[in-house]
Amino acid sequence: MIDHCGREIDYLRISITDRCNLRCIYCMPEAGVCTMAHEEVLSYEEIARVTRLMAGLGIRHIRITGGEPLARMGCLDLIGKIHAVDGIETISMTTNGLMLRGRMEQAKAMGLTALNISLDTADPQTYRTMTRGGDVCAVLETIDQALACGLKVKINAVPVRGYNDEQLTDLAAMARTRPISVRFIELMPMGCGANLEPVSTGEVEKKIEAAFGPLLPDDSLHGYGPARYVRPEGFMGSIGFISPMSHEFCGACNRVRLTADGYLKLCLNHTAGLDLRAMMRGGADDATIEAAIRDSIEHKPVRHGFLEDIGDREVRRMNEIGG
Ligand code: SAM
Ligand code: SF4
C-alpha cells in the first residue's frame, strides 16, 4: 500500500495485550493500570483475519508486541497462525525476554524470525530500578538462548537521564563479542515517558565513540525500521540509533499498528485510525474491511509531531500501543 505521501506501508506491529510482568519507568505506572477487559481484546482468530487482509494489501513484515506479548497465553500459537498467512515474509517479536527462557526452539519452529529484547542496562540494580523488579540475569540468559538457536537478536535500550545514562557503554559492549545489534532509542514524551529526561542520540553516540573509537557506518540490512547502524572497530555486532526526536524519520515511515483492542493506528502520536474490532464484530465482510483499511492508510499522518501542538495527540500509554 502506498499512502498519500508516497510511502510504501509494508510493516504491521500487532500489540496482543496491554498487560505486562514489568513496570518500566517510562512505560507503565507502578500500579500497573491495564484497562482492557478480556472481551475487548482481539481474539487470535481476529488478529489472524486482520493479518490475512493486510497481507493481501501488501503487508510483508509483522512484529508481535504488547504489553508483554508472552504474558498472553498462546502467544507462540499466534505466531504459527501468522506464519501460515500467504505473503508474510518475517515475524519478529518485541519482548522484555523474561518469559521466553526455555521456549526459544518452540518460538522458532512456529515461525519467529527475529527478536527485539528490551534491555536498558546490564547492571542488575539499575535494571531492577528501571523495570521495578526485573532480574537482568534472566534477560541475559534469554539473549544467549536466542543466539544459540539462530534467531536474529536486537537489544532495545532507552537512555534516561539519572538512571542508565552512565551505563550505556557497558550495554554497547555486549555487541563486541556477540552478533547482535544494541540499539539506543530516544525516549518519547508519551505517557510515563513525558515526566523523564531523555538523552539525545548525539550524546549517546559521543559516549560510545569515546569508549570504542571511530564508529564506522554499517549499511548492511538489519531490518525494516528507521535505525541507523554503526560498528566500532573489532565489534562482531553493531550499534544502532533510533532518533525519533532529534532526527525525525517520518518521511521514510513504513508502518502501521494494531492495538490489542483492534484499533488500526496510523501513527504513534496521533489518534487517527480505524476501529477494526467494531467492523469485524459488526459483521463487515472482507471486501468492506479491506476498502476501509486502504482508505485509512491512504490518510496516514505526514509526521508524528511530538514537538508540535497537534490536535489529536495520542493519550494511550506505550504498553497499550506496543511501542
Ligand atoms: N514488553 C515488550 C518490551 O518491553 O519489549 C514490548 C512492549 S514495549 C511497549 C515496546 C518498546 O517500547 C520497548 O522497547 C520499550 O523500551 C519502548 N518504550 C516504551 N515506552 C517508551 C517511551 N516513552 N519512549 C521510547 N520507547 C518506549
Ligand atoms: Fe512492560 Fe515493555 Fe512497558 Fe516495560 S516497556 S513495562 S516490559 S510493556
Side-chain angles (χ1 to χ4, degrees):
M1 271 167 293
I2 308 286
D3 77 357
H4 65 122
C5 301
R7 297 173 292 195
E8 184 175 358
I9 310 302
D10 62 0
Y11 177 30
L12 173 66
R13 297 176 65 103
I14 305 176
S15 170
I16 65 169
T17 179
D18 65 337
R19 289 167 200 272
C20 188
N21 53 333
L22 294 180
R23 297 286 179 268
C24 301
I25 49 166
Y26 45 71
C27 181
M28 276 177 96
E30 191 157 14
V33 195
C34 293
T35 50
M36 293 178 201
H38 180 70
E39 59 279 9
E40 290 180 85
V41 172
L42 288 193
S43 68
Y44 287 155
E45 287 66 32
E46 288 170 322
I47 293 174
R49 183 178 177 198
V50 174
T51 306
R52 179 174 55 77
L53 294 177
M54 294 194 66
L57 292 169
I59 292 294
R60 295 288 168 260
H61 309 290
I62 299 286
R63 174 169 301 281
I64 308 291
T65 175
E68 174 49 41
L70 290 147
R72 180 165 172 188
M73 269 189 23
C75 170
L76 301 187
D77 298 330
L78 174 67
I79 292 174
K81 282 190 199 307
I82 291 175
H83 186 52
V85 172
D86 270 353
I88 297 303
E89 294 170 12
T90 66
I91 306 174
S92 51
M93 181 191 287
T94 300
T95 171
N96 60 40
L98 291 172
M99 299 167 85
L100 199 52
R101 269 190 307 167
R103 301 166 74 192
M104 216 62 74
E105 293 289 350
Q106 193 193 349
K108 195 177 172 197
M110 286 297 194
L112 190 73
T113 45
L115 261 184
N116 284 10
I117 298 180
S118 299
L119 179 65
D120 298 321
T121 171
D123 176 68
Q125 181 52 47
T126 309
Y127 184 78
R128 227 182 339 268
T129 303
M130 290 186 77
T131 58
R132 300 196 179 100
D135 170 15
V136 79
C137 297
V139 187
L140 297 174
E141 250 181 72
T142 301
I143 293 169
D144 288 337
Q145 286 181 6
L147 288 173
C149 89
L151 282 168
K152 254 179 106 171
V153 177
K154 293 175 185 162
I155 305 295
N156 284 348
V158 180
V160 183
R161 180 96 52 215
Y163 285 89
N164 59 350
D165 53 332
E166 296 302 329
Q167 299 164 4
L168 303 176
T169 52
D170 291 345
L171 203 59
M174 287 179 65
R176 198 201 305 253
T177 50
R178 296 177 181 84
I180 60 175
S181 305
V182 175
R183 311 176 334 149
F184 296 99
I185 306 178
E186 282 177 341
L187 177 74
M188 288 176 268
M190 295 184 70
C192 306
N195 306 319
L196 295 165
E197 192 184 335
V199 182
S200 71
T201 288
E203 186 176 333
V204 177
E205 205 165 351
K206 274 196 196 122
K207 282 179 194 280
I208 292 177
E209 191 151 26
F212 303 115
L215 304 177
L216 317 168
D218 176 2
D219 295 327
S220 55
L221 181 66
H222 289 267
Y224 302 92
R228 173 173 61 86
Y229 291 91
V230 297
R231 193 187 289 263
E233 188 73 42
F235 268 50
M236 189 185 252
S238 57
I239 310 293
F241 301 103
I242 303 180
S243 321
M245 306 308 293
S246 61
H247 298 90
E248 189 189 274
F249 40 65
C250 304
C253 186
N254 60 348
R255 64 200 55 201
V256 288
R257 296 171 165 82
L258 182 67
T259 63
D261 55 356
Y263 191 74
L264 183 69
K265 255 184 83 55
L266 303 172
C267 173
L268 197 51
N269 193 35
H270 291 252
T271 57
L274 180 65
D275 188 348
L276 287 173
R277 185 186 66 188
M279 291 192 80
M280 288 190 285
R281 295 189 184 172
D285 62 17
D286 284 358
T288 307
I289 297 177
E290 260 178 27
I293 293 174
R294 201 191 300 270
D295 182 58
S296 184
I297 289 182
E298 163 66 21
H299 297 101
K300 183 174 155 65
V302 178
R303 42 212 296 267
H304 59 55
F306 275 123
L307 302 173
E308 298 152 35
D309 183 16
I310 59 168
D312 69 340
R313 191 179 293 281
E314 183 55 87
V315 293
R316 292 172 193 246
R317 279 186 292 274
M318 280 295 206
N319 67 301
E320 298 172 277
I321 301 169

